[in-house]
Amino acid sequence: MTVWTLQRRSLVYHWRAHVAVVLGVVAGTAVLTGALLVGDSLRGSLRASVLSRLANLDCVVQSSGFFRADLAREIAARPEFSRDRGAVESLIIVRGNASHTGSGAHVRNVNVLSFTAPSLEAEAPTRARQVAGHAVVLNRNLADELRAMPGDEILLRAAKPAAISRETLLGHRDDALVTLRLSVVAILDRDEFNITLNPSEIRPLNAFVPERTLQRALGQPDRTNTLFVTGGPRGGRDAAAVSRLMDMLGECTTLADFGLTLRPDERHGYVALESDAFLLAPPVEEAARGAAKALGVPAAGVLAYLANSIAVETGPEAEVPYSIVAAIEPGPELLDGLTTTDSGPVPTCASGDILLNEWTARELHARVGEPIRLRYWLAGPPGQLTSEEGTFHLRAILRMRGAALDPGFAPPYRGITDATTLTDWNPPFPIDVHKIRSQDEAYWQTYRTAPKAFISLADGERLWAHDRERFGRLTSLRFYPRAGQAPASLQPEVEQELRRGLDPARLGFRIDALRARALAASRGTTDFSGLFLGFSLFLIAAAAMLVALLYRLGVERRAREIGLLLATGFPRRQVARLLLGEGLVVATLGAAVGLLAARGYAGLMLAGLQNWWATALNTPALELHARPASYVVGGVASVVLAATAIAVALRGVARTPARALLAGVVPGRAPAERGGVTWRRERVAGWIFVG
């Protein structure tokens, strides 16, 4: 008789007692491992929900402004692009709200996205052709909120982009929204149409509008503000791939993508850099001055502003209304084009000096040395304007020739520079048309935006460029050709050098590794496995106590057997190992069965989360997701926990003398008296566990 044979026969002989212990271990393992599986399932379901929304989208390129739609094709055509990514698609994404014209239901925070006509016809071909450009496709979430059906009409109000910030004087504050009346042609149930650029949105509300329709409504023909980058082996999923995409973006973008224009002026001999935002952003000015230095050509900055009136401070009541004033950077290039009425050299505008052109000085009866007052609007808090004024010393009067007649000091501005007459102006600030005289209209007809006054750039910044760190301090920067060079030949040189210095990241372009960010967000900050382990801790502890009690009871029934082993010469340690070995075999068997039961426990928990607690948790569709590591951790932890409980149960028995064990005495209990209560309990336990 060997120890192994003894242990094997003992397991078989006491099988009823071991079955009870196995069932206890099964319960503990099912709860412990099931809690881990519930955590896996929550994480896995969130991940699956995120991936279904993203389809195969890897990263998104967004801009604070609009850029050429052809930029997507140019990036995709680059050879290095195919190594990391499969495709790039341009689209428009703006925020807005939606209303149902029939029911009046109103929904905020709607994502309005553009898509091409073939995409629309693939979803609803007949209906798409019927409504042409007045179609909209809704995802299921938005359709449910609006209670909309195919054929219904809805109103979409989207934020209209503004090249000129609405926080500045020239920003149009009353032109912030565009309204579209559209017919619902399809409602999409597939998860990929629930795409969102904000992973925290549980139920994104998406409306898809034909690309041409949305571009026309926003006033952005052939332009877009978003690129979707999809496919490829590593597309946008690591920092190196994102960095390479930003490099490609810098190589493919043109000045038009940043809202910049280079305008050569052959008559006055310069190339002007201007912006759709009216002011040159600080990074643009920095890059432009760097380009001028690299090319070895002079550059001078201009800040043009509109004065509500120009008047002599101490003179008669005469004033000249609504005049362009140019703040110019000191330098010979600008001054060379100006001449004074006394045929003397044009003085440099020092701080506090002003130069009037001959026409304005004549209207005001102004003389050199007199104080000149400028009144102008300044933008204050949103929707508020304040009237300010500044006083200058008239340094010289300029002849009406050369640079004094250059309308290019003021960049193009819709509503002013394109107006036929002064009374046709449509600026975003109030004007008093009654102040406009016939001679003012005549000046506009003849000279357009030619400045009536010049001051120093330092004074212009002090008066008008209070937020220059955000918006900039110049309305244009002029590049002057080398001797004998035409402005038209300088323009491509400036453009090439300027493109090298422009950084898309500093000018509103942003690359969002959306897949990586969304997956990180899906993991969240909550340890779901630990959370559900905490919820199940009472059950796990109860199962461990049950295992200890059941095994101890079985061992107590074997007290005489243990005493006999000790009396016949078996060392106490060997007997303890024999009993502990039996317990480990039983615990391992119970853990194996418990791992199978864990899936059922996890399924019940998930069913509860989706039904009983669905409103409170607001969870997506939950599915069972199981990691092998959770089974390993749950199984090992269950065996260790059961073995610990068994070891604790054996500790008292192992210390009891052999004589006492042979007499049926176990720790904490006196010998059973035949016919007593204790004896009857032992008989019942014996029937159950020993048979």
Side-chain angles (χ1 to χ4, degrees):
M1 174 70 71
T2 64
V3 173
W4 299 113
T5 302
L6 178 62
Q7 189 174 63
R8 185 176 67 253
R9 291 181 178 178
S10 179
L11 284 169
V12 173
Y13 183 77
H14 299 290
W15 68 270
R16 289 184 177 85
H18 293 326
V19 165
V21 176
V22 165
L23 293 177
V25 176
V26 167
T29 304
V31 172
L32 193 155
T33 308
L36 296 177
L37 294 182
V38 171
D40 290 346
S41 299
L42 285 176
R43 283 191 297 268
S45 298
L46 288 173
R47 177 186 175 91
S49 175
V50 166
L51 291 179
S52 67
R53 293 182 196 171
L54 293 178
N56 61 340
L57 178 61
D58 289 317
C59 60
V60 175
V61 180
Q62 290 185 290
S63 174
S64 56
F66 277 67
F67 51 85
R68 296 172 301 117
D70 286 341
L71 183 60
R73 176 180 52 80
E74 294 170 7
I75 292 177
R78 297 187 66 87
E80 60 268 33
F81 181 82
S82 60
R83 290 202 299 264
D84 291 326
R85 299 171 173 82
V88 57
E89 179 183 358
S90 64
L91 72 160
I92 298 173
I93 300 180
V94 293
R95 298 285 279 190
N97 54 65
S99 301
H100 194 291
T101 58
S103 67
H106 183 77
V107 178
R108 299 180 182 274
N109 297 321
V110 174
N111 301 313
V112 183
L113 302 93
S114 68
F115 63 98
T116 57
S119 301
L120 173 62
E121 293 181 3
E123 294 297 332
T126 304
R127 184 65 182 162
R129 285 192 290 271
Q130 291 174 351
V131 299
H134 299 286
V136 64
V137 176
L138 309 179
N139 74 342
R140 174 56 61 183
N141 297 336
L142 180 55
D144 290 344
E145 292 285 338
L146 290 173
R147 300 188 294 278
M149 300 292 291
D152 292 353
E153 276 196 346
I154 68 168
L155 294 178
L156 272 184
R157 295 178 179 87
K160 191 173 184 179
I164 301 176
S165 172
R166 295 185 174 90
E167 298 180 44
T168 62
L169 177 67
L170 296 178
H172 285 271
R173 299 164 185 81
D174 57 351
D175 194 22
L177 290 177
V178 60
T179 301
L180 296 170
R181 182 181 293 270
L182 304 169
S183 177
V184 178
V185 297
I187 296 173
L188 308 176
D189 292 310
R190 296 202 301 272
D191 287 339
E192 59 263 31
F193 292 100
N194 289 328
I195 187 169
T196 174
L197 302 186
N198 182 7
S200 65
E201 284 186 298
I202 300 299
R203 289 172 51 85
L205 308 172
N206 295 341
F208 300 88
V209 179
E211 183 178 57
R212 296 296 182 188
T213 302
L214 194 54
Q215 287 175 335
R216 185 168 55 252
L218 298 177
Q220 299 292 333
D222 299 319
R223 295 176 74 82
T224 185
N225 66 352
T226 306
L227 297 179
F228 276 2
V229 182
T230 60
R234 298 166 54 205
R237 301 179 188 180
D238 58 32
V242 171
S243 178
R244 286 195 297 274
L245 179 57
M246 181 61 80
D247 292 341
M248 286 185 277
L249 192 64
E251 294 168 2
C252 293
T253 48
T254 65
L255 298 185
D257 295 318
F258 303 115
L260 301 175
T261 304
L262 277 176
R263 177 177 57 83
D265 191 316
E266 298 292 342
R267 180 179 179 184
H268 298 99
Y270 62 85
V271 177
L273 175 64
E274 298 168 343
S275 173
D276 293 344
F278 200 74
L279 292 171
L280 299 178
V284 174
E285 182 186 351
E286 179 184 333
R289 292 192 182 277
K293 184 177 181 180
L295 293 172
V297 297
V302 176
L303 172 59
Y305 208 79
L306 180 69
N308 294 333
S309 69
I310 304 176
V312 178
E313 179 77 21
T314 58
E317 294 299 323
E319 68 174 18
V320 175
Y322 306 117
S323 307
I324 300 296
V325 179
I328 58 176
E329 196 169 9
E333 293 76 26
L334 277 173
L335 298 180
D336 282 349
L338 301 173
T339 57
T340 63
T341 55
D342 59 5
S343 301
V346 177
T348 301
C349 273
S351 180
D353 288 343
I354 191 171
L355 307 176
L356 296 181
N357 68 10
E358 191 175 5
W359 184 93
T360 307
R362 184 172 61 250
E363 291 293 316
L364 296 176
H365 308 289
R367 291 173 294 181
V368 174
E370 289 186 321
I372 304 298
R373 184 186 65 240
L374 299 180
R375 284 200 175 99
Y376 50 88
W377 289 117
L378 276 185
Q384 297 184 19
L385 296 175
T386 59
S387 180
E388 304 289 342
E389 65 178 46
T391 302
F392 298 86
H393 172 265
L394 181 55
R395 183 70 181 275
I397 299 174
L398 305 175
R399 289 193 182 278
M400 301 293 290
R401 64 178 62 171
L405 301 180
D406 182 9
F409 278 101
Y413 180 81
R414 179 174 55 88
I416 294 182
T417 59
D418 57 351
T420 305
T421 64
L422 286 176
T423 53
D424 290 336
W425 279 14
N426 183 29
F429 48 82
I431 61 172
D432 187 354
V433 296
H434 298 96
K435 292 184 177 180
I436 300 174
R437 307 164 302 167
S438 59
Q439 54 265 45
D440 300 321
E441 290 285 13
Y443 184 95
W444 180 259
Q445 294 293 328
T446 306
Y447 305 115
R448 306 299 293 176
T449 54
K452 296 175 183 175
F454 295 85
I455 62 176
S456 70
L457 183 59
D459 282 339
E461 287 186 56
R462 176 175 55 84
L463 297 178
W464 306 317
H466 296 164
D467 210 353
R468 53 183 173 270
E469 296 300 326
R470 289 179 61 197
F471 304 119
R473 65 187 188 115
L474 301 178
T475 53
S476 64
L477 186 69
R478 297 185 170 195
F479 301 86
Y480 292 90
R482 308 174 189 90
Q485 185 182 22
S489 65
L490 176 62
Q491 179 185 355
E493 295 182 46
V494 174
E495 181 171 0
Q496 182 178 2
E497 195 64 39
L498 184 57
R499 286 180 59 186
R500 291 196 187 102
L502 292 175
D503 182 3
R506 297 184 64 191
L507 292 172
F509 279 86
R510 180 174 63 89
I511 298 180
D512 184 1
L514 189 61
R515 178 179 294 270
R517 185 167 65 89
L519 290 178
S522 71
R523 289 191 291 269
T525 58
T526 303
D527 182 2
F528 293 115
S529 297
L531 180 65
F532 282 94
L533 277 175
F535 290 159
S536 307
L537 189 60
F538 175 79
L539 293 177
I540 296 172
M545 293 175 62
L546 179 63
V547 168
L549 291 173
L550 290 173
Y551 198 78
R552 179 182 176 87
L553 187 58
V555 169
E556 288 178 355
R557 296 303 306 162
R558 298 166 59 184
R560 291 183 176 84
E561 175 188 335
I562 297 171
L564 181 61
L565 291 175
L566 293 175
T568 55
F570 279 83
R572 190 174 294 273
R573 286 180 177 274
Q574 190 174 20
V575 173
R577 285 197 297 269
L578 176 68
L579 296 174
L580 185 59
E582 288 184 30
L584 285 176
V585 171
V586 171
T588 302
L589 180 61
V593 178
L595 292 179
L596 299 177
R599 294 183 67 89
Y601 176 83
L604 288 175
M605 293 290 289
L606 293 177
L609 289 173
Q610 290 192 102
N611 294 286
W612 304 322
W613 305 309
T615 304
L617 294 178
N618 195 23
T619 55
L622 296 179
E623 296 179 353
L624 184 62
H625 293 262
R627 293 185 307 153
S630 295
Y631 284 110
V632 173
V633 171
V636 172
S638 299
V639 171
V640 170
L641 189 62
T644 303
I646 290 171
V648 171
L650 289 174
R651 187 171 61 178
V653 176
R655 295 176 179 176
T656 305
R659 181 180 299 176
L661 291 171
L662 287 171
V665 178
V666 294
R669 191 179 67 177
E673 297 179 1
R674 188 173 184 85
V677 176
T678 303
W679 180 83
R680 287 195 296 271
R681 288 177 180 171
E682 287 188 358
R683 289 296 302 271
V684 172
W687 293 336
I688 296 175
F689 297 110
V690 182

